[in-house]
Amino acid sequence: MNKISNKQATVGFVSLGCPKALVDSESIITRLRTEGYQISPSYEGADLVVVNTCGFIDDAIEESLDAIGEALNENGKVIVTGCLGAKGNIVQDNYPNVLAVTGPQATTEVMNAVHKHLTPLPTTHDNNVPAQGIKLTPKHYAYLKISEGCNHHCSFCIIPSMRGKLVSRPIDGLLEEAKNLIDAGTKELLVVSQDTGAYGVDSRYATGFWQGRPVKTKFRDLVQYLGEMDAWIRLHYVYPYPHIDEIIPMMAEGIVLPYLDIPFQHASPSILKAMKRPAHSENNLERIRKWREMCPEITIRSTFIAGFPGETDDDFEQLLDFLQAAQLDRVGCFTYSPVDGANANDLPKHVPEDIQEDRLERFMAVQEKISANKLQSRIGQRITVLVDYIEEDAIIARSKADAPEIDGVVVLNKLPNISAGNFLEVEITDADSHDLYGKIITNVTLLSAC
């Protein structure tokens, strides 16, 4: 294919998948803008299109393949990146006419492919790209990806084969990125990775330097330094390693949000063993009790799999018993789905789909009651919320207990002079099984600006 050269070389972009993939998209778009490429909001206005794919489960693969096909039909010139690109020749077998295919976290490879097919004028480099880079989230929150890959080999997961082993980012670069984001107006940083609590293990906790001070590439140190910045810090994808206990007092002291996203996945010892989960031998109920003792305000979110191969009725009842005992605040559950290349596919006694769906329904019914009771207990409380967006007749905000897109919201009466990114003090007046409702007491952001 002939290389295209024009005064405003333009690239379309489709971003699919998890927050980690979103950060990859932000990195690529930042490089594109820095080198002078324009980003097109449509297929028609683009000289070529980059599609960042997901390839973890069958539904995600289908969505990614559909997106590639649509981009080819609408534009004709497509570069594919992301997790699906790391899964053999799936992309090439379905779409042999794509321009290039790369795996995830492959900004350099994507840019090389763009350079091969599309060249901006040498004088068009964009010096106005902000120090924090281009973000695809609303201005008031951003994802901070602290590492790539994972050293574990959970039997249902193929992340290590797609994203490689754990590689922690240098701590000085992370802290600089966080500072730049906050200086630019970010009010909440969501710390993400495949295995957040393992940060620094691969580097043997190498020492970096931040603002003239030595600081170790270590999870606790990272959390401590992020907590000194003027923003909400929310921790995601944290396995229940013993050293996580060191973080809970920081939550109690208000250094970081009292929120822990910790994927337990199951409660039956035999199923956890079959899953090859890290830290599966920990007494999680006792850990949860201690965490709440240290920080009564802590919100614990988790995800679980129902119908994993070999899951018996007794295993599932153990999971329901755990759910009742743990009284988790936010919970997601999925039926087991075979992932091409995962070791769990070879396990015996796969659970029939109808039984999986029945167990999922029973699981969510139990959790819905727990969630409803917990949210009802917040009626009458005064809390601080962060405004996400304004609707025609309401303000949609989140509390410290709510991460964007996956948790609930706080629905408020609409008042003037309130914008996305404002902190408000509100009183909770009602609740359902997922969301809170309230009235505004004070615009904290306006008060702090006076």
Side-chain angles (χ1 to χ4, degrees), residues 114-182:
V114 172
H115 295 157
K116 182 177 179 181
H117 297 279
L118 184 61
T119 305
L121 291 180
T123 57
T124 61
H125 284 230
D126 190 343
N127 295 321
N128 294 319
V129 173
Q132 72 275 14
I134 304 297
K135 295 298 171 182
L136 300 178
T137 51
K139 182 180 178 180
H140 60 280
Y141 71 83
Y143 293 102
L144 184 70
K145 184 162 65 169
I146 64 172
S147 64
E148 296 285 1
C150 179
N151 286 344
H152 300 291
H153 296 280
C154 300
S155 62
F156 57 85
C157 181
I158 57 172
I159 293 298
S161 68
M162 293 191 294
R163 289 186 171 264
K165 292 186 176 182
L166 177 72
V167 179
S168 300
R169 293 180 56 194
I171 193 166
D172 49 353
L174 278 174
L175 294 174
E176 183 66 24
E177 179 181 344
K179 179 180 182 300
N180 288 336
L181 285 165
I182 293 168

Side-chain angles (χ1 to χ4, degrees), residues 346-359:
D346 299 326
L347 292 173
K349 299 180 181 179
H350 280 236
V351 179
E353 186 175 338
D354 60 332
I355 295 178
Q356 287 187 342
E357 293 295 337
D358 176 70
R359 289 175 179 174

Side-chain angles (χ1 to χ4, degrees), residues 5-308:
S5 179
N6 55 46
K7 291 185 178 180
Q8 288 189 321
T10 303
V11 177
F13 208 100
V14 178
S15 184
L16 304 173
C18 66
K20 281 87 72 179
L22 183 73
V23 175
D24 289 348
S25 294
E26 292 172 338
S27 174
I28 296 168
I29 291 173
T30 298
R31 279 282 301 276
L32 287 166
R33 286 289 304 277
T34 300
E35 294 191 15
Y37 295 94
Q38 300 300 307
I39 305 301
S40 172
S42 67
Y43 294 122
E44 295 80 6
D47 295 310
L48 60 80
V49 177
V50 177
V51 180
N52 189 8
T53 61
C54 180
F56 185 54
I57 60 175
D58 289 345
D59 286 348
I61 293 172
E62 183 178 351
E63 180 186 20
S64 294
L65 289 174
D66 287 347
I68 296 166
E70 179 179 291
L72 282 168
N73 289 335
E74 297 293 331
N75 183 276
K77 306 175 187 70
V78 176
I79 294 169
V80 177
T81 187
C83 288
L84 186 59
K87 297 191 69 172
N89 295 319
I90 292 177
V91 175
Q92 294 94 329
D93 290 344
N94 282 271
Y95 301 109
N97 54 335
V98 296
L99 301 180
V101 179
T102 82
Q105 70 245 19
T107 299
T108 299
E109 291 90 338
V110 171
M111 292 306 302
N112 288 340
V114 172
H115 295 157
K116 182 177 179 181
H117 297 279
L118 184 61
T119 305
L121 291 180
T123 57
T124 61
H125 284 230
D126 190 343
N127 295 321
N128 294 319
V129 173
Q132 72 275 14
I134 304 297
K135 295 298 171 182
L136 300 178
T137 51
K139 182 180 178 180
H140 60 280
Y141 71 83
Y143 293 102
L144 184 70
K145 184 162 65 169
I146 64 172
S147 64
E148 296 285 1
C150 179
N151 286 344
H152 300 291
H153 296 280
C154 300
S155 62
F156 57 85
C157 181
I158 57 172
I159 293 298
S161 68
M162 293 191 294
R163 289 186 171 264
K165 292 186 176 182
L166 177 72
V167 179
S168 300
R169 293 180 56 194
I171 193 166
D172 49 353
L174 278 174
L175 294 174
E176 183 66 24
E177 179 181 344
K179 179 180 182 300
N180 288 336
L181 285 165
I182 293 168
D183 288 347
T186 299
K187 305 297 178 62
E188 177 182 14
L189 291 177
L190 300 106
V191 178
V192 298
S193 70
Q194 301 298 335
D195 186 0
T196 299
Y199 176 71
V201 170
D202 57 301
S203 69
R204 298 185 180 181
Y205 311 117
T207 299
F209 289 88
W210 168 244
Q211 296 185 338
R213 296 178 291 177
V215 55
K216 286 187 176 295
T217 304
K218 193 173 185 178
F219 182 57
R220 187 192 185 284
D221 292 49
L222 175 65
V223 173
Q224 179 70 51
Y225 278 87
L226 289 174
E228 294 177 2
M229 300 183 186
D230 187 20
W232 281 5
I233 307 298
R234 191 180 300 276
L235 305 177
H236 286 274
Y237 311 112
V238 181
Y239 293 114
Y241 301 122
H243 68 267
I244 301 306
D245 293 357
E246 302 173 5
I247 306 301
I248 310 304
M250 298 187 197
M251 296 180 176
E253 295 168 18
I255 295 172
V256 295
L257 291 182
Y259 180 99
L260 200 57
D261 174 15
I262 187 159
F264 291 118
Q265 302 294 15
H266 214 281
S268 162
S270 63
I271 295 300
L272 288 169
K273 182 177 181 180
M275 289 179 169
K276 297 184 178 179
R277 292 292 291 166
H280 69 263
S281 63
E282 297 294 331
N283 186 337
N284 288 325
L285 285 176
E286 178 62 17
R287 299 282 297 289
I288 291 169
R289 186 193 67 77
K290 288 183 177 179
W291 292 342
R292 287 179 171 147
E293 189 176 87
M294 288 188 283
C295 180
E297 300 302 313
I298 192 172
T299 293
I300 302 175
R301 140 169 280 282
S302 192
T303 51
F304 296 87
I305 297 175
F308 190 80

